[in-house]
Amino acid sequence: MATSSGEELMAAQKRPKIALVLGSGAARGWAHIGVIHELTRMGITPDMVVGSSVGSVVGGAYASGNLEEFEKWISSLGRVDIIRLLDAKMTGGGFLQGTSLMNAIKKRIGDPNIEDLEIPYACVATELGTGREVWLREGSLLDACRASIALPGMFAPSRCSADRLLVDGGLVNPVPVSLARAMGGDIVIAVNLNGDLIGRHFFVHSSDDSTSEEESDRQLAEFEEKDSVVAKWAAKMKAGFGVRLDSYISSLRRKESPDPGLFDVIAGSVDIMQDRITRSRMAGEPPDIHITPRLGHIGLMDFDRARECIEEGCAATRRKADEFRELGDTL
């Protein structure tokens, strides 16, 4: 007769492994936190987590056991805080260097080796020279995240060797279901942030916060004058790109204008690319549960709208409650 511990071991061996896949989507990626919270409330604990671009960062915070600290930080970010993290770089293949951002992330989640994380983890990047999809499954967590978020034109590529540059994983696999299956995921829960974006970046203007546009401009001018970090950043913008700081800030809030700005065009182009790639990849690699937060009103660089994104992540997961119930005891 089998012992109770033996029965428990057999049951654990038979239980399907649950993989959580967190997709790309820049500022919309904060919705992943809401998804994780709602899964926890449902009693669902992923056996592994994989991510692409911003999904790699949120996934890393979760897998390292630091999601709560990370959430507190991103929920406190305002527009000026975001500017201070964006270290402009005139050379090196990208508009932003990314060092300040990664240092800030390191303070919240540390820099463990991927193989030492509490939950099996991996993320996706793209090899710039060949276009090949790269799966990052060992080594520095921060280095892997830095490579996965290196959006072309925005962040400088990540150099992993003398002749190898890595860029954003969303270029080749925005929602990496294939990686989750390769890691042994039997039931794949995928979060797709790119489901309702096309065209909305230009034509849907969400309500701003309580700060009026005029007041925001006034505050920005004050910071540019008094804050040395922001002043230097603004000077680099003007000298290197001929772009005023306030034109960049228009991408952090919805500003009524008949013509898109530089960053609006970049953001809209990225939305189109990721939507088309996501549709193609997921047609051949469907997840078992497909969660699609409604985030078309959130811009690529709206990182100061974390609470809104997190709440929609929770809501989107609740909308899939019937599908979770159908899976029943397997979860």
Side-chain angles (χ1 to χ4, degrees), residues 69 102 234 279:
E69 180 65 23
M102 297 314 297
R279 289 172 186 266

Side-chain angles (χ1 to χ4, degrees), residues 246-257:
D246 56 2
S247 106
Y248 171 72
I249 294 302
S250 72
S251 70
L252 296 182
R253 53 181 161 80
R254 302 280 63 81
K255 191 173 185 179
E256 296 291 347
S257 172

Side-chain angles (χ1 to χ4, degrees), residues 147-306:
S148 190
I149 67 170
L151 185 65
M154 296 293 286
F155 285 99
S158 176
R159 184 175 292 280
C160 62
S161 67
D163 59 350
R164 194 182 192 207
L165 294 172
L166 299 180
V167 293
D168 198 296
L171 293 179
V172 290
N173 204 349
V175 188
V177 174
S178 55
L179 175 53
R181 298 288 189 198
M183 289 176 64
D186 299 306
I187 295 176
V188 175
I189 302 169
V191 186
N192 174 16
L193 305 175
N194 304 309
D196 64 341
L197 303 180
I198 303 305
R200 299 190 70 177
H201 187 82
F202 300 116
F203 303 117
V204 176
H205 297 272
S206 63
S207 59
D208 203 352
D209 57 25
S210 57
T211 304
S212 69
E213 187 172 308
E214 292 77 11
E215 178 64 13
S216 180
D217 289 339
R218 184 192 65 76
Q219 291 176 359
L220 185 59
E222 279 187 16
F223 275 109
E224 188 173 341
E225 180 180 346
K226 297 178 181 179
D227 190 294
S228 61
V229 174
V230 176
K232 289 177 183 178
W233 197 89
K236 285 185 178 182
M237 289 275 286
K238 293 171 185 175
F241 296 97
V243 176
R244 287 174 50 84
L245 185 59
D246 56 2
S247 106
Y248 171 72
I249 294 302
S250 72
S251 70
L252 296 182
R253 53 181 161 80
R254 302 280 63 81
K255 191 173 185 179
E256 296 291 347
S257 172
D259 300 310
L262 169 65
F263 297 97
D264 293 317
V265 172
I266 292 175
S269 300
V270 169
D271 288 345
I272 293 169
M273 174 196 72
Q274 294 199 357
D275 175 69
R276 295 295 181 255
I277 296 171
T278 300
R279 289 172 186 266
S280 177
R281 293 296 300 257
M282 294 189 73
E285 303 161 351
D288 296 281
I289 294 181
H290 183 190
I291 298 173
T292 55
R294 296 166 183 166
L295 298 166
H297 59 292
I298 302 293
L300 187 79
M301 299 296 290
D302 286 343
F303 289 103
D304 57 331
R305 300 174 70 177

Side-chain angles (χ1 to χ4, degrees), residues 13 16 33 40 130 137 140 198 208 263 267 314:
Q13 290 173 338
I33 297 173
T40 300
T130 64
R137 302 182 61 177
S140 163
I198 303 305
D208 203 352
F263 297 97
C314 291

Side-chain angles (χ1 to χ4, degrees), residues 102-129:
M102 297 314 297
N103 286 339
I105 292 173
K106 183 178 181 179
K107 287 182 182 179
R108 279 79 192 181
I109 70 174
D111 186 20
N113 284 330
I114 291 173
E115 52 269 36
D116 297 329
L117 294 173
E118 297 178 8
I119 300 172
Y121 166 93
C123 67
V124 177
T126 305
E127 188 170 9
L128 185 60

Side-chain angles (χ1 to χ4, degrees), residues 56-62 64-71 73 102-112 117 121 141-142 145:
S56 72
V57 178
V58 177
Y62 177 60
S64 64
N66 294 299
L67 187 64
E68 182 178 355
E69 180 65 23
F70 183 78
E71 181 181 357
W73 172 57
M102 297 314 297
N103 286 339
I105 292 173
K106 183 178 181 179
K107 287 182 182 179
R108 279 79 192 181
I109 70 174
D111 186 20
L117 294 173
Y121 166 93
L141 173 63
L142 278 186
C145 290

